[in-house]
Amino acid sequence: MVRMEVNLPPDLEPTVRERLVAAERDYSQGLQRSGRIAAIWRVSGQFANYCLFDVADNEELHECVSGLPMFPYISTTVEALSRHPNALGTTGS
């Protein structure tokens, strides 16, 4: 799971901002269609989100995140998650 906080410069030209936002949407939706982003949530009141990635390894995660058009303006926090043994659908439940 990756928390991403976007910090676009306040003096960024509006047309550049619009292009970045559109490119980010397209790239993110491509990752969702491919299943690499399994879920995405917006953090209310912030220019931030949480993405649950379904990738093979850390290298693939880095490839996905660093490919984001807004990557130069994003602060990330990565949390490695594992299935909980008490979760429904795990072996023995």
Side-chain angles (χ1 to χ4, degrees):
M1 180 175 66
V2 180
R3 177 186 165 89
M4 296 183 225
E5 187 170 337
V6 182
N7 300 295
L8 294 176
D11 60 346
L12 191 64
E13 289 184 33
T15 56
V16 173
R17 180 185 169 92
E18 288 173 23
R19 282 197 309 267
L20 268 175
V21 169
E24 187 82 4
R25 180 187 59 245
D26 292 344
Y27 183 80
S28 169
Q29 288 178 351
L31 291 175
Q32 291 173 70
R33 282 193 223 42
S34 73
R36 293 164 91 183
I37 291 180
I40 185 170
W41 299 273
R42 177 186 356 211
V43 179
S44 298
Q46 299 178 25
F47 198 176
N49 67 72
Y50 283 93
C51 285
L52 184 59
F53 284 85
D54 186 3
V55 293
D57 54 31
N58 292 335
E59 292 300 318
E60 186 178 2
L61 177 61
H62 180 72
E63 174 189 312
C64 291
V65 174
S66 65
L68 290 162
M70 289 188 189
F71 181 71
Y73 308 106
I74 295 175
S75 299
T76 61
T77 304
V78 177
E79 301 260 353
L81 303 175
S82 299
R83 184 125 174 110
H84 195 284
N86 296 338
L88 295 176
T90 56
T91 305
S93 10

